[in-house]
Amino acid sequence: MNAIIIEAYGSEEQLKLVELSKPNIEPGEVLVAVKATSVNPIDWKARQGMLQPVYNWNFPIVLGWDLSGVIVEIGSKVTMFTVGQKVFARPDNYMDGTKGTYAEYAAVKENQLALKPENISFDEAAAIPLAGLTAYQVIKEQLKLTPKSKVLIQGGSGGVGTFAIQIAKYLGAYVAVTSSSDNEKMLKDLGADEVIDYHTTNLVDYPHDFDAVFDTVNAVDEGISVLKPEGKLITIAGNPSEKQLSHSQSVSMWWLKPNGKQLNELSKLVTLGAVKAVVDSTVDLSTDGIRKAHKKSENGHAHGKIVIHVAD
């Protein structure tokens, strides 16, 4: 199969297309013929070697944590899925680093799969799992937003931010976001009630009336500054300091947990039209395509998700 690998940590120039064997599946896994995958910030952070404290991978490494595709083989203990079903997933982080989704086939644990919504394409579906699940877990499960909540999402135009806006709005919350004013129309179309231009507004001077803050850009101090004394902040981009943790507000970080049941709940919201993937651009599974996608993501120029089209 074709796959994108890195054989050393470094710039996007380390990414290259090679031929690999299809992954073997365990009894509780399925083999998916990948139709599409997508780029997340964790991809280029891993490429740079920033995940070495967490994962002791051996080269070559296949990156990628999103997929949509069709099941072509099931393990002996799989009971909920069958060959031929259209699915999407945020697969587990395999500790050997060889089973990423930048490939034509990927092994996925049964409990991390969900059926693909019928009303969207494979490309759109591949943009959802990692970013969508992260937003779902923080907004619904951790911050527990309600129609009475007022939430600030820092970094509204990114992959996670665009999903967080929609999920928070579905739950009935008042949603403010930080972003460039250039993105105001897109963000309000997604449901944002207020767009705060970080170029012109200092959050420290902003009213301290938010019940919750979701930080996706490592601006923890700024987020704390707008919280009510009993408010709650969760970051996926920073590692809170002792000083930040000492405030009266609740401050913590969150790391995504792959979860097929929650992905199925997201699928229902997509089917209802309450949530949609914002696709910045699409590249093909090639050395040049992946390098361009990583560079754009790393430079922070993507609005929504960059999708990698693998097969028709």
Side-chain angles (χ1 to χ4, degrees), residues 258-277:
N259 187 309
K261 289 182 179 179
Q262 290 179 342
L263 188 57
N264 187 57
E265 292 301 312
L266 262 179
S267 178
K268 292 176 183 178
L269 295 182
V270 172
T271 300
L272 287 171
V275 171
K276 66 177 182 180

Side-chain angles (χ1 to χ4, degrees), residues 25-31 71-83 108 110:
I25 59 171
E26 300 293 331
E29 296 177 335
V30 308
L31 185 67
I71 297 174
V72 293
E73 184 182 345
I74 62 171
S76 60
K77 293 184 178 180
V78 172
T79 60
M80 296 186 294
F81 295 91
T82 60
V83 170
V108 186
E110 181 180 32

Side-chain angles (χ1 to χ4, degrees), residues 32-38 66-72 84-87 101 103-106 116 121-126 282-285 307-312:
V32 176
V34 178
K35 296 291 188 180
T37 178
S38 71
D66 276 320
L67 66 75
S68 65
V70 179
I71 297 174
V72 293
Q85 287 183 312
K86 300 173 183 178
V87 294
T101 60
E104 291 181 312
Y105 294 89
K116 181 186 80 66
S121 67
F122 282 109
D123 284 1
E124 291 171 304
T282 303
V283 301
D284 59 3
L285 189 74
V307 170
I308 302 164
H309 181 81
V310 179
D312 294 327

